[in-house]
Amino acid sequence: MMERWKGRVALVTGASVGIGAAVARALVQHGMKVVGCARNVDKIEKLAAECQSAGYSGTLIPYKCDLCNEEEILSMFSAIKTLHQGVDVCINNAGLAHNEPLLSGRTDGWRNMIDVNILALAICTREAYQSMKERHVDDGHIININSMGGHRMVPSTDEHFYCATKYAVTAMTEGLRQELREAKTHIRATSISPGIVETEFAFRHHNSDPERAAAVYESIKCLKAEDIASAITYVLSAPAHVQIGDVQMRPVEQES
């Protein structure tokens, strides 16, 4: 069922590493034109070259964009419209966590999590929907990379604010589904909520304590970024009348 997406355009935010890079690669393998955005596109350019060398039927187009800046997001969507007509699939993958507890955290750390995890996701969602609407695309898909932290509070003070932003993603995805229904469109909305995934995430989160970050991934057999990419291709492959609202996935050995 991925055949119907061949030649169509997907936007993947945070595509330089981890889940975003794995998703971009998988969609290019399936023949999609993938616009992969990040603040630094060096790694996306390298991935694009790898995809081309591998003979994948799609293409990966790197795009430099700071998702904390709405003007840059709007410029990106304008460029996609000019060069590729518009977005058919939007993968809101970009996200981050800072070690900023509720009782002692820095406001700028909280604000950065809100800007990336909530506002950028909302802006990209709005612009992707408007792109679909103006081209009469009625089978598009908006997929939010959420977290198990968006469904239960992790008993760790340095993740409480991050979890709050992911609870917002859970609410926004359901709100989006309801608004799409009210608009009488068949565009679908999905939240993918992984547990522990072995990426650079923990090393960025605990950037002052790399041993603690490594311990996160050594304690159990973690999910891989490719597992999340497989979940996304599964969701995209579902028959047009099937709405997969929320996919929760975690390592078998993860406790909560």
Side-chain angles (χ1 to χ4, degrees):
M1 293 293 287
M2 283 297 292
E3 191 70 23
R4 70 188 181 90
W5 294 112
K6 192 168 281 190
R8 300 183 69 180
V9 178
L11 170 66
V12 180
T13 66
S16 59
V17 295
I19 293 172
V23 171
R25 180 191 293 273
L27 297 184
V28 171
Q29 279 184 280
H30 285 286
M32 296 194 74
K33 294 179 184 176
V34 179
V35 177
C37 80
R39 285 180 300 175
N40 188 320
V41 296
D42 291 349
K43 291 181 180 178
I44 305 177
E45 290 172 346
K46 181 180 178 183
L47 178 59
E50 291 174 3
C51 289
Q52 186 174 16
S53 296
Y56 296 158
S57 55
T59 54
L60 176 56
I61 303 108
Y63 196 95
K64 183 179 175 62
C65 181
D66 181 357
L67 293 172
C68 292
N69 186 324
E70 182 175 5
E71 289 305 314
E72 289 197 22
I73 298 175
L74 298 180
S75 293
M76 175 175 66
F77 274 90
S78 178
I80 294 172
K81 178 179 180 179
T82 300
L83 299 172
H84 310 289
Q85 282 72 59
V87 172
D88 301 306
V89 173
C90 180
I91 313 287
N92 287 310
N93 165 73
L96 51 81
H98 295 301
N99 187 351
E100 304 293 352
L102 295 171
L103 298 182
S104 59
R106 294 173 301 120
T107 304
D108 60 346
W110 295 342
R111 185 175 290 113
N112 189 219
M113 285 186 271
I114 290 172
D115 285 345
V116 176
N117 298 359
I118 300 176
L119 286 177
L121 179 147
I123 295 167
C124 288
T125 295
R126 179 191 67 202
E127 297 304 311
Y129 170 70
Q130 293 299 330
S131 172
M132 297 173 199
K133 181 181 177 182
E134 70 181 20
R135 292 177 296 123
H136 306 290
V137 171
D138 195 46
D139 64 343
H141 209 134
I142 297 168
I143 299 176
N144 296 327
I145 304 302
N146 196 346
S147 166
M148 286 304 300
H151 301 275
R152 82 284 188 269
M153 187 59 67
V154 176
S156 174
T157 57
D158 59 358
E159 294 190 32
H160 289 162
F161 197 95
Y162 167 76
C163 286
T165 67
K166 290 302 186 176
Y167 266 81
V169 174
T170 300
M172 289 166 66
T173 306
E174 174 57 17
L176 174 61
R177 185 192 70 82
Q178 292 183 18
E179 290 190 25
L180 290 170
R181 280 193 65 205
E182 290 171 8
K184 301 194 183 309
T185 175
H186 294 91
I187 297 167
R188 295 181 288 182
T190 300
S191 166
I192 306 280
S193 299
I196 300 174
V197 186
E198 188 173 355
T199 64
E200 295 183 7
F201 187 89
F203 289 96
R204 292 180 174 182
H205 183 28
H206 303 295
N207 58 2
S208 62
D209 191 351
E211 289 185 5
R212 182 180 178 188
V216 171
Y217 299 139
E218 291 170 359
S219 60
I220 61 173
K221 184 174 177 56
C222 302
L223 298 176
K224 302 294 186 184
E226 290 75 18
D227 297 326
I228 316 307
S230 294
I232 287 175
T233 56
Y234 167 76
V235 166
L236 288 171
S237 299
H241 68 285
V242 176
Q243 170 80 270
I244 301 175
D246 183 38
V247 177
Q248 297 184 26
M249 52 194 298
R250 67 190 99 185
V252 171
E253 299 173 9
Q254 185 174 334
E255 291 184 7
S256 62

